[in-house]
Amino acid sequence: MEQKPQLSFWQIWNMSFGFLGIQFGFMLQVVNMSRIFQTYGGEVEDLAMYAIAGPVTGLLVQPIIGYLSDRTWSPRWGRRRPFFLIGALAATFALVLMPNSPGLYVAIGMLWVMDSAFNISMEPFRAFVGDMLPERQRTLGYAMQSFFIGLGSVIAALMPTILTRFGVDNVAPDKEIPDSLRFSFYIGAVVIAAAVIYTVATTKEYPPSDLKAFEEEKQKTKGFIRGMVEILSGLSKMPKTMMQLAVVQFFTWFGLNAMWAFMTPTVAGNVFHATDPKSAGFQEAGNWVGVMFATYSLVSFLIAFLLPVLAKATSRKATHMISLLIGGLSLISILFIRDQYLLLLPMIGVGIAWASLLSMPYAILVGALPEGKLGYYVGVFNFFIVIPQLVASMVLGKILTGMFDGQTVYMSVLGGVSFLIASASVLLVEDKTMGK
């Protein structure tokens, strides 16, 4: 196998920069969609179901995009960059339209468009590291992505609060989106387009190592039916490491969705004593959830480059296991906190887990994948992100009403327990490259 050349720090910076924009848009969605749905009249117990767009579009889009990007090559545009650009432009469109939705169901529909766009861009970015970097630099490459994910998340999560501090209205008439939130989405549209265009313009991709064999393989498997057969048949050939990581991913992402879907009503009710989405207190709680999520994102990008050092000193498995353990205990602690500023403390632990989640599983995975199908298998790996989200969308509302009597704070506890199960599951994972 041809050895890839080692890239400089700034080359890795340039190839990862687009993730700043993608995550900026994604975090605007994560922090604010529950707030938007409740503003439009959505019920608390249905918040997780409204967000089903994310897992469904991921399940459908990412393996297909991964398969297509593996089979794409243009001397001018490369392999992954066309998909970065298409996804970014579609996300820009959705971010502008989302806060102008005339009602709840249009907002839900725009979420489907937005999630599809993010998935089109995200999957090729994950495969990009495997394409461009030699094995010894891949942990650094995913850490760089984590850095930009954290940076983009911090700014996006704080944006409504920043605009409010500058005098932009944070309240609006019944079933209308406040200007602070509306302008945040407009800014997100600009950021995602600019960041992805920067990466596309500054990074040159390597051609397939054997271009003739690459074209011959494309011709042999040409056609929609053959493509779908190849996509589905690959599921039965997943590497053992990938199946082991699937368990870890399932419980981690189930826990994250329990936190994301219900944090706004938790903070609004338990800390700001506001349950009416029209009230100033509820909208203030929405801004504070942005500060909380910005805190965990800040922590994640501050330690993004510490994790590879820790992984080298111990192992990627140990680093990920400890990080998830800290995150799980942190989520459980939210049950006991009633002060808005103290709520920032568990977000530090969540940030450690988030930083590890964005880098360690991928660094372990890529070393176990066949070279010519990185995009496809990274797309399939996304199944184990979207399936737990799909399950969460269908069951969290029932758990909230059936087990916790509508007390949303217990959803953070549920998320924490799920993280602890994920942490224990890391012990079962085989890392073939042993943290190199």
Side-chain angles (χ1 to χ4, degrees):
M1 183 174 64
E2 183 180 354
Q3 180 62 41
K4 299 180 178 69
Q6 184 163 316
L7 299 188
S8 71
F9 177 87
W10 292 111
Q11 286 174 309
I12 299 174
W13 172 284
N14 289 342
M15 63 180 277
S16 304
F17 189 81
F19 234 123
L20 182 148
I22 295 170
Q23 191 64 26
F24 193 106
F26 181 71
M27 183 55 77
L28 282 173
Q29 169 191 307
V30 167
V31 174
N32 297 299
M33 288 317 301
S34 292
R35 176 182 179 184
I36 288 174
F37 290 149
Q38 285 191 269
T39 298
Y40 282 134
E43 299 295 334
V44 172
E45 61 268 24
D46 294 328
L47 292 177
M49 182 57 74
Y50 295 149
I52 200 171
V56 171
T57 55
L59 196 64
L60 296 174
V61 170
Q62 290 221 17
I64 294 173
I65 293 299
Y67 174 77
L68 292 176
S69 67
D70 280 342
R71 295 164 56 84
T72 297
W73 174 251
S74 161
R76 180 177 181 183
W77 294 103
R79 170 177 287 179
R80 314 294 180 185
R81 289 180 296 161
F83 297 91
F84 301 164
L85 201 54
I86 292 168
L89 294 177
T92 299
F93 169 80
L95 284 163
V96 171
L97 292 186
M98 169 61 80
N100 295 297
S101 301
L104 175 62
Y105 293 106
V106 176
I108 293 171
M110 290 311 306
L111 179 61
W112 283 78
V113 176
M114 195 183 307
D115 267 315
S116 297
F118 291 147
N119 279 305
I120 290 170
S121 286
M122 277 185 180
E123 191 284 331
F125 259 109
R126 294 297 190 190
F128 204 33
V129 171
D131 289 342
M132 300 293 292
L133 296 178
E135 168 59 35
R136 63 184 177 275
Q137 285 194 303
R138 284 175 181 168
T139 302
L140 174 61
Y142 285 115
M144 184 73 81
Q145 286 191 356
S146 296
F147 172 81
F148 282 119
I149 288 170
L151 181 60
S153 297
V154 169
I155 301 170
L158 289 176
M159 190 55 61
T161 299
I162 293 169
L163 293 177
T164 300
R165 295 287 173 87
F166 278 96
V168 179
D169 287 340
N170 194 48
V171 292
D174 187 22
K175 296 188 178 179
E176 290 188 18
I177 303 302
D179 284 345
S180 59
L181 201 49
R182 188 188 313 276
F183 293 146
S184 295
F185 274 72
Y186 296 163
I187 292 169
V190 174
V191 171
I192 189 171
V196 171
I197 288 172
Y198 177 85
T199 285
V200 169
T202 58
T203 304
K204 183 175 177 60
E205 295 183 71
Y206 303 131
S209 54
D210 187 336
L211 195 55
K212 182 179 178 182
F214 173 80
E215 293 295 342
E216 289 175 352
E217 179 65 22
K218 278 178 62 176
Q219 289 300 315
K220 283 195 300 184
T221 58
K222 187 168 67 172
F224 177 78
I225 300 298
R226 286 185 178 180
M228 293 307 298
V229 168
E230 189 169 347
I231 289 172
L232 294 174
S233 66
L235 295 175
S236 64
K237 303 173 185 176
M238 288 188 295
K240 181 180 177 182
T241 297
M242 187 171 174
M243 291 187 286
Q244 294 164 339
L245 282 169
V247 179
V248 181
Q249 293 291 88
F250 180 91
F251 286 104
T252 306
W253 284 93
F254 184 89
L256 280 170
N257 275 263
M259 177 188 75
W260 285 339
F262 297 101
M263 190 59 74
T264 294
T266 294
V267 174
N270 287 24
V271 177
F272 288 84
H273 309 292
T275 57
D276 184 356
K278 297 189 295 293
S279 67
F282 186 92
Q283 297 298 335
E284 186 180 356
N287 280 5
W288 189 252
V289 170
V291 174
M292 292 170 60
F293 287 7
T295 300
Y296 85 66
S297 299
L298 177 65
V299 170
S300 75
F301 93 79
L302 288 176
I303 70 165
F305 297 111
L306 176 63
L307 290 180
V309 176
L310 181 59
K312 187 174 181 180
T314 56
S315 70
R316 292 190 281 229
K317 283 177 56 175
T319 299
H320 197 44
M321 182 177 66
I322 293 168
S323 298
L324 291 177
L325 175 65
I326 293 170
L329 295 174
S330 299
L331 280 175
I332 292 171
S333 73
I334 292 174
L335 176 65
F336 308 103
I337 300 174
R338 293 294 182 272
D339 179 271
Q340 69 181 95
Y341 296 101
L342 289 180
L343 280 173
L344 299 180
L345 294 178
M347 293 298 104
I348 295 173
V350 172
I352 293 170
W354 180 244
S356 184
L357 176 64
L358 297 174
S359 57
M360 293 302 144
Y362 293 95
I364 294 170
L365 174 69
V366 169
L369 296 181
E371 188 75 18
K373 294 189 176 182
L374 291 182
Y376 168 68
Y377 276 114
V378 171
V380 170
F381 189 57
N382 189 62
F383 282 3
F384 310 117
I385 295 174
V386 300
I387 289 174
Q389 293 183 71
L390 189 60
V391 172
S393 296
M394 294 187 291
V395 306
L396 287 178
K398 294 181 175 64
I399 292 173
L400 175 65
T401 55
M403 293 180 61
F404 301 140
D405 195 28
Q407 298 182 63
T408 55
V409 68
Y410 288 104
M411 304 309 284
S412 293
V413 177
L414 178 65
V417 171
S418 193
F419 265 50
L420 297 183
I421 297 172
S423 176
S425 301
V426 176
L427 292 170
L428 304 176
V429 176
E430 177 186 354
D431 185 357
K432 292 186 176 182
T433 51
M434 298 301 292
K436 291 179 184 177

